[in-house]
């Protein structure tokens, strides 16, 4: 199986475009390919497939083999892959994902994609649809008890569930301690991605992320979108915000006219390889 190692701000993927449908035992393949020691090493395995609803279809599998509905950093890599490999010559394309059909705007230099703007769609805010076990129109600055301590969180789905917690200082957060406990908290029936956020200004935050099914990653595109929405809902940030992640920056805009969330960021291709597993 040929694959291309790609990343969006260090959130890295093995991208495979040779299948016409999802192969058998894909979860096992994802776990094996993503293993950092016994495999190629990646946060996820991404398949680029044909679609009858969009120009292409993306299926993504986390390092633990689970299949999320959405992945912002991966869809930017898909946009880069299909243009750079001549599968399209258009710089405006559509990609079918588990969160719906997403529109991508590709920025190119010397015939290669450097940055991508993705219409990540409408955020889902109803508690039971995120999903959480909270039956409310929105879950904003809600209490959450973990190990006897009370946290405040805002829940947002971008197709995949996110729990956003604003803190005074990220230096005080034990992400590897508290992250998995919130990820698997009973409040979140399909688990959750966990984003801790420090606000620097109305249009600038720093975010650290513990991803569902992966663990800490250097960046999370859908998570940054959820942070952009949660910041507005909690009255902490404006509708356009630069999100600093360990792997770099994303620009997020929650458009006040169409209510959709737009994410702009880079996509990088590292190497091509053959999987012998
Ligand atoms: N682990 C996530 C999927 C990948 C999301 C992230 N890598 C992104 O860029 O959006 C989940 O289970 O929902």
């Amino acid at each position: 199986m040929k694959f291309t190692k790609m990343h969006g701000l260090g959130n890295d993927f093995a991208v495979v475009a040779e299948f016409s449908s999802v192969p058998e035992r894909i979860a096992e393949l994802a776990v094996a390919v993503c293993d950092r020691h016994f495999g190629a090493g990646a946060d996820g395995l991404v398949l680029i497939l044909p679609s009858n609803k969009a120009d292409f279809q993306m299926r993504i599998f986390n390092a633990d083999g689970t299949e999320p509905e959405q992945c912002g950093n991966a869809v930017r890599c898909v946009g880069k892959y299909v243009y750079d490999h001549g599968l399209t010559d258009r710089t405006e394309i559509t990609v079918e994902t588990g969160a719906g059909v997403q529109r991508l705007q590709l920025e190119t230099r010397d015939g290669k994609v450097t940055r991508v703007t993705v219409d990540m769609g409408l955020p889902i805010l109803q508690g039971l649809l995120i999903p959480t076990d909270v039956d409310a129109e929105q879950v904003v600055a809600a209490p959450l008890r973990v190990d006897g301590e009370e946290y405040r969180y805002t829940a947002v789905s971008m197709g995949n569930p996110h729990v956003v917690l604003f803190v005074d200082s990220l230096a005080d957060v034990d992400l590897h301690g508290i992250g998995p406990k919130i990820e698997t908290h009973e409040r979140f029936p399909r688990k959750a991605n966990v984003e801790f956020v420090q606000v620097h200004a109305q249009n600038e935050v720093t975010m650290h992320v513990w991803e569902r099914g992966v663990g800490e990653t250097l960046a999370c595109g859908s998570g940054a979108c959820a942070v952009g929405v949660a910041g507005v809902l909690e009255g902490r940030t404006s509708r356009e915000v630069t999100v600093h992640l360990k792997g770099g920056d994303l620009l997020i805009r929650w458009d006040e006219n169409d209510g959709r969330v737009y994410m702009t960021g880079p996509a990088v291709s590292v190497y091509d390889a053959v999987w012998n597993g």
Side-chain angles (χ1 to χ4, degrees), residues 154-209:
T154 291
V156 177
S157 169
M158 293 306 301
N160 57 345
H162 295 271
V163 169
V164 180
L165 303 100
F166 290 92
V167 295
D168 294 334
S169 167
L170 285 171
D172 299 338
V173 175
D174 170 18
L175 186 66
H176 289 245
I178 191 68
K181 290 178 180 171
I182 298 176
E183 173 199 359
T184 58
H185 195 285
E186 61 187 4
R187 173 125 305 164
F188 312 118
R190 296 180 60 183
K191 305 200 306 185
N193 299 284
V194 184
E195 288 86 16
F196 282 93
V197 188
Q198 184 174 336
V199 178
H200 306 298
Q202 282 270 323
N203 63 350
E204 185 187 4
V205 303
T206 295
M207 162 188 139
H208 290 171
V209 57

Side-chain angles (χ1 to χ4, degrees), residues 23 32 51 73 91 99 109 116-117 148 158 183 212 222 258 275:
S51 168
N73 287 321
T91 54
R109 188 172 55 238
V116 183
T117 294
M158 293 306 301
E183 173 199 359
R212 177 181 66 169
S222 55
D258 63 16
W275 174 253

Side-chain angles (χ1 to χ4, degrees), residues 8 11-13 43 60-64 66-76 120 159-162 190 192-193 209-215 217 219-224 250 263:
N11 186 202
D12 61 339
F13 309 99
D43 290 331
I60 162 130
F61 299 84
N62 286 317
D64 71 350
T66 56
E67 181 176 10
E69 308 80 349
Q70 160 76 274
C71 181
N73 287 321
V75 80
R76 295 201 315 276
M120 294 286 282
N160 57 345
H162 295 271
R190 296 180 60 183
N193 299 284
V209 57
W210 181 269
E211 279 199 33
R212 177 181 66 169
V214 187
T217 62
C220 179
S222 55
L250 286 172
M263 167 192 67

Side-chain angles (χ1 to χ4, degrees), residues 60-135:
I60 162 130
F61 299 84
N62 286 317
D64 71 350
T66 56
E67 181 176 10
E69 308 80 349
Q70 160 76 274
C71 181
N73 287 321
V75 80
R76 295 201 315 276
C77 291
V78 168
K80 175 173 178 60
Y81 183 98
V82 296
Y83 185 89
D84 291 5
H85 286 78
L87 303 181
T88 181
D89 58 3
R90 287 183 285 113
T91 54
E92 302 216 348
I93 64 169
T94 56
V95 178
E96 177 191 350
T97 73
V101 174
Q102 296 180 327
R103 289 177 296 123
L104 281 63
Q105 206 147 20
L106 311 176
E107 292 176 40
T108 65
R109 188 172 55 238
D110 306 330
K112 300 282 187 195
V113 170
T114 54
R115 271 162 54 101
V116 183
T117 294
V118 185
D119 170 358
M120 294 286 282
L122 297 167
I124 298 165
L125 303 177
Q126 297 90 332
L128 297 180
L129 299 182
I130 290 173
T132 71
D133 63 0
V134 180
D135 186 359

Side-chain angles (χ1 to χ4, degrees), residues 208-243:
H208 290 171
V209 57
W210 181 269
E211 279 199 33
R212 177 181 66 169
V214 187
E216 181 173 19
T217 62
L218 297 183
C220 179
S222 55
C225 294
V227 165
V229 172
V232 172
L233 294 176
E234 291 200 23
R236 295 171 183 270
T237 53
S238 53
R239 281 181 168 268
E240 184 153 333
V241 62
T242 296
V243 180

